[in-house]
Amino acid sequence: KPLTVDCFILLLTFLFYTAYHLSRKPISIVKVSVRLQVWRCHTVFVLFLDQDNYQALFGVLDNCFLVAYAIGMFFSGIFGERLPLRYYLSAGMLLSGLFTALFGLGFYWNIHSLGYYGFIQVMNGLMQTTGWPAVVACVGNWFGKGRRGFIMGVWNSHTSVGNILGSLIAGAFVSSAWGMSFIVPGLIIASTGILCFFFLIEKPEDVNCCSPQHNVSSNIPFISKNESLNISISFNITISFRIKEGYLGVVEFSLCLLFAKLVSYTFLYWLPLYISNVAHFEAKEAGDMSTLFDVGGIVGGIMAGVVSDYTGGRATTCWVMLIAAAPMLFLYNSIGQRSLGTTIGMLLLCGGLVNGPYALITTAVSADLGTHETLRGNSRALSTVAAIIDGTGSIGAALGPLLAGLISPTGWNNVFYMLISADMLACLVSNSTELVKKQLKLKAG
């Protein structure tokens, strides 16, 4: 197949998921502005009339989105398997753009109702679940395993690029009219939905190209040919997973991602407020500074992909980076605000070590497991596998900001102790060390 078509699909899906993350970021920037407005003058218009309780109310909104996203993700992969990805993605981005813009319009409509904003967040969380399983399935259709870690490491920088752009766009409006901090990202993701409808090519066969070779031997432990992963939906809309003894891979990586995402999403939603509280930055300055965490995440994701391709050990790469992240989180909280240079360096390091494993699991690992030889004949299972892994991880994404909101009044030190504990659990949970041992044994053999 022509290389230009591969690159076009990679670029297109990169833009799509950049837009998804771009539209999630504004609320973390608006938090800082509301805090400063409440602190300085109670007469300034803010999101809620109950100004003294703004932090708890924002915690409710965070979890309206994240819980809806976590629950919806388990169903999204099933729909992604059965619906044309082009239509599924296009509808998801258009509706996500609508709900993001409706959140911002509350500023101009002078709405102070928690119920209104909570409903918008729930609906937006459900719409956002259309993105990840579909884009991973699409990229997995076009690229084989040869350099998948590197390719997806570069490609997965869309998460950090989206966070950076979302911070900058929201920061440009937050001090004057925070509604535009949501409306502009909403228009952007809706525009990419239109782009998707007209230009996305779901798989090589649609343009008479050859499919890539997926079923190459991999060092990711998996089920044997005599075992199976059965995913079924009953009529009462429940999902059951029957995993026979000996299955290794999806469960371990899913649980590892749960704790890794808990750390990453706590930074996503609370880092600007932490910087503003500790370093006493303005809302825009805190938002701009927080983008350094995502810049580090871009480098960390690429490095994780390159190293895992070279060594053949996805689990081992994740394990090493997670181990290194724990002391870096402690040091950032302890000395990270002593000088501007220290702050920049620590944010870059923490971003790389926290987001590197997260990026690797959600991309290359998901694609490896979803296109494994035991699933031959069911290539669209990649969408479901991606949804299982990311859906489990999204439970952690919901828990992290919730715990941060509950713990932060007792001091930011306690929030960082929680993050370090979660990081260590990502290494230890559900025999993740067993995955590392198996990969090292395969490598030695």
Side-chain angles (χ1 to χ4, degrees):
K1 56 184 178 295
L3 181 61
T4 52
V5 180
D6 286 356
C7 294
F8 175 72
I9 296 300
L10 204 64
L11 176 61
L12 207 57
T13 51
F14 180 94
L15 291 176
F16 296 160
Y17 213 69
T18 295
Y20 272 99
H21 258 265
L22 181 151
S23 65
R24 296 179 194 176
K25 187 65 177 177
I27 195 167
S28 68
I29 306 301
V30 171
K31 279 181 190 174
V32 183
S33 178
V34 169
R35 184 192 72 85
L36 292 173
Q37 290 170 0
V38 169
W39 178 62
R40 289 172 178 165
C41 178
H42 284 292
T43 62
V44 179
F45 174 84
V46 291
L47 184 60
F48 303 115
L49 292 177
D50 185 5
Q51 297 170 354
D52 295 329
N53 199 30
Y54 77 95
Q55 196 164 332
L57 296 176
F58 268 117
V60 171
L61 291 187
D62 287 345
N63 280 277
C64 283
F65 177 93
L66 292 168
V67 171
Y69 183 87
I71 294 172
M73 185 60 73
F74 289 101
F75 296 92
S76 181
I78 306 297
F79 295 140
E81 278 191 36
R82 288 157 175 77
L83 299 173
L85 294 180
R86 182 165 64 93
Y87 298 151
Y88 190 54
L89 268 173
S90 298
M93 285 188 277
L94 287 168
L95 290 170
S96 185
L98 171 65
F99 288 113
T100 302
L102 283 173
F103 195 107
L105 286 171
F107 173 85
Y108 297 99
W109 295 341
N110 201 30
I111 296 175
H112 300 276
S113 168
L114 178 63
Y116 172 81
Y117 294 108
F119 173 76
I120 295 298
Q121 285 288 84
V122 168
M123 295 306 298
N124 200 10
L126 293 174
M127 294 305 105
Q128 288 264 332
T129 64
T130 59
W132 189 245
V135 295
V136 170
C138 188
V139 173
N141 287 339
W142 281 89
F143 292 91
K145 281 189 177 178
R147 292 190 301 159
R148 181 176 278 166
F150 170 72
I151 290 171
M152 287 197 157
V154 174
W155 176 75
N156 193 64
S157 63
H158 51 49
T159 298
S160 296
V161 171
N163 291 340
I164 292 169
L165 292 176
S167 297
L168 296 176
I169 292 170
F173 302 103
V174 70
S175 298
S176 55
W178 63 258
M180 293 302 294
S181 297
F182 291 89
I183 293 172
V184 172
L187 292 174
I188 291 173
I189 190 173
S191 299
T192 57
I194 296 171
L195 192 67
C196 174
F197 182 81
F198 287 106
F199 294 105
L200 181 66
I201 304 171
E202 180 180 334
K203 52 186 180 294
E205 293 87 341
D206 292 341
V207 287
N208 298 319
C209 293
C210 297
S211 297
Q213 180 65 33
H214 288 303
N215 301 315
V216 179
S217 178
S218 171
N219 277 356
I220 291 188
F222 206 75
I223 50 179
S224 68
K225 291 183 179 180
N226 295 324
E227 296 166 329
S228 62
L229 168 65
N230 300 311
I231 304 170
S232 61
I233 306 181
S234 63
F235 288 106
N236 62 351
I237 317 297
T238 61
I239 298 178
S240 63
F241 302 100
R242 289 186 297 162
I243 306 175
K244 292 187 177 180
E245 185 179 359
Y247 178 85
L248 189 62
V250 172
V251 174
E252 284 78 6
F253 279 117
S254 296
L255 293 173
C256 183
L257 184 62
L258 185 153
F259 291 104
K261 247 188 162 181
L262 185 154
V263 179
S264 182
Y265 268 67
T266 302
F267 274 93
L268 174 67
Y269 281 89
W270 288 93
L271 182 58
L273 185 60
Y274 170 77
I275 293 173
S276 177
N277 278 337
V278 176
H280 309 294
F281 283 11
E282 295 289 334
K284 185 179 186 305
E285 293 172 340
D288 291 347
M289 183 64 71
S290 71
T291 62
L292 292 171
F293 183 84
D294 291 297
V295 172
I298 293 173
V299 178
I302 294 173
M303 291 301 298
V306 170
V307 171
S308 69
D309 277 345
Y310 179 76
T311 62
R314 310 282 197 217
T316 308
T317 303
C318 292
W319 187 76
V320 170
M321 295 185 78
L322 288 167
I323 286 291
M328 286 300 146
L329 291 172
F330 179 81
L331 288 174
Y332 173 62
N333 184 50
S334 301
I335 64 172
Q337 308 301 329
R338 289 188 178 180
S339 68
L340 182 61
T342 303
T343 300
I344 292 172
M346 295 301 296
L347 280 173
L348 291 171
L349 278 172
C350 289
L353 292 172
V354 168
N355 283 346
Y358 162 31
L360 187 63
I361 294 172
T362 55
T363 54
V365 168
S366 294
D368 287 351
L369 295 173
T371 56
H372 197 272
E373 61 183 3
T374 54
L375 297 177
R376 184 179 298 158
N378 186 18
S379 62
R380 296 188 70 118
L382 174 52
S383 178
T384 296
V385 170
I388 294 169
I389 292 176
D390 199 52
T392 306
S394 295
I395 296 172
L399 285 174
L402 173 63
L403 292 174
L406 295 173
I407 296 171
S408 58
T410 68
W412 287 105
N413 286 342
N414 294 329
V415 174
F416 274 86
Y417 295 149
M418 179 268 290
L419 295 177
I420 293 168
S421 299
D423 178 82
M424 296 306 298
L425 283 171
C427 301
L428 301 174
V429 71
S430 191
N431 294 321
S432 62
T433 51
E434 186 69 18
L435 277 170
V436 176
K437 290 176 184 177
K438 284 181 177 287
Q439 288 194 343
L440 292 174
K441 183 178 179 181
L442 285 170
K443 189 69 176 175

